[in-house]
Amino acid sequence: MTIDQRKSRTSDDLVDPLLAELNQGSGFTPVRAFERTAGDEVQGILDDPAAVVRIALKLAQTEKWSVGIGIGSVKEPLPESTRAGSGAAFEQAREAVEDAKHAAGHICVRGQHPACEDVDAILQLLGALSLKRTEAAVEAGTMLAAGATQQEIAASLGISQQAVSARLRAGLWQEDQRVRETAIRRLKEADQ
C-alpha cells in the first residue's frame, strides 16, 4: 500500500500520527511496517486482504489521504525496510496512488490479475459512499463494523434501537458489509 496525504501543502503534516496508528494501533501486523517514503507519503507491505480493505476505506472516509493498493510479486527476500522493497506490487501501488488522487473515492487498486479491476471498482464505490454519509450514520456504522449489536450501539449512543437501524439503513451499512466481503474475497484471489 502507498498512501499519500491530500492537500499537504495547505495543511499540517499528518504522516507521523498515521504511522503510529497503522503500525501500533490498527489490530493487524504488517509484513513490513509502514514508513514515510517521501514527504507526505507512506508505504507498507500487507498480506491480509481484510486489513487492506479496512485501512483503505477508513482513510478514504477522512478525505485526507489517497490510497494506492498494488497487487503483485515482490522481490525476495524482503528487506527489513519497506522503502528498500521492490517488485511489481510496489510499481502497481505507485501507479495506484497517483490514480487515486483523481478517483471519486480516493482509492485505486492496480495489478495484473483480473480481480484487481473488480476490487478497484468496489473500493472506489465504497470510498465515494463513505464521503456521502452523515456523521450519525458513520458513528453507528463504525460501531457495527467493530462488532457491536444494534442494541449495544443504541445503549452507547443513548438512542433507540430503531434510531440505530435508521442510521444504518441511511448509510447503507448492511450493503457496505456485504460488498466489502466481496472485495476481500477478490483480493485473496488476486494474490494467489
Side-chain angles (χ1 to χ4, degrees):
M1 285 184 94
T2 300
I3 304 165
D4 189 46
Q5 185 177 337
R6 295 173 48 78
K7 301 178 184 174
S8 61
R9 292 190 174 117
T10 59
S11 63
D12 294 336
D13 185 334
L14 303 174
V15 170
D16 288 338
L18 177 66
L19 289 173
E21 179 182 345
L22 292 174
N23 290 324
Q24 298 160 7
S26 57
F28 68 91
T29 304
V31 174
R32 290 293 182 269
F34 281 85
E35 297 178 33
R36 184 186 295 258
T37 52
D40 56 0
E41 182 181 278
V42 302
Q43 196 169 57
I45 303 172
L46 298 142
D47 62 0
D48 178 354
V52 169
V53 168
R54 187 172 64 246
I55 291 167
L57 292 173
K58 182 177 181 180
L59 294 178
Q61 188 175 0
T62 70
E63 289 192 88
K64 296 177 182 174
W65 304 98
S66 296
V67 181
I69 301 167
I71 308 296
S73 62
V74 294
K75 187 176 179 184
E76 295 194 27
L78 282 173
E80 288 302 312
S81 171
T82 300
R83 290 185 307 192
S86 63
F90 288 91
E91 295 163 13
Q92 298 290 352
R94 164 68 39 227
E95 179 183 327
V97 79
E98 291 303 319
D99 291 345
K101 293 175 184 181
H102 309 288
H106 309 303
I107 303 170
C108 279
V109 179
R110 296 293 177 260
Q112 297 302 312
H113 193 282
C116 293
E117 286 186 41
D118 295 344
V119 178
D120 182 58
I122 291 168
L123 293 184
Q124 283 192 39
L125 176 64
L126 290 177
L129 171 63
S130 74
L131 298 175
K132 302 218 178 274
R133 291 182 174 131
T134 65
E135 192 173 315
V138 169
E139 184 177 41
T142 300
M143 294 173 80
L144 180 72
T149 66
Q150 287 191 24
Q151 293 80 10
E152 291 168 339
I153 296 168
S156 176
L157 298 177
I159 59 176
S160 70
Q161 192 273 328
Q162 291 82 5
V164 170
S165 181
R167 289 180 182 190
L168 294 173
R169 209 171 31 256
L172 299 173
W173 282 102
Q174 300 294 341
E175 296 80 3
D176 177 294
Q177 293 302 306
R178 291 176 49 213
V179 173
R180 191 178 292 229
E181 289 301 317
T182 301
I184 292 168
R185 277 194 313 275
R186 295 294 282 160
L187 265 180
K188 287 178 183 176
E189 292 171 23
D191 197 34
Q192 298 298 322

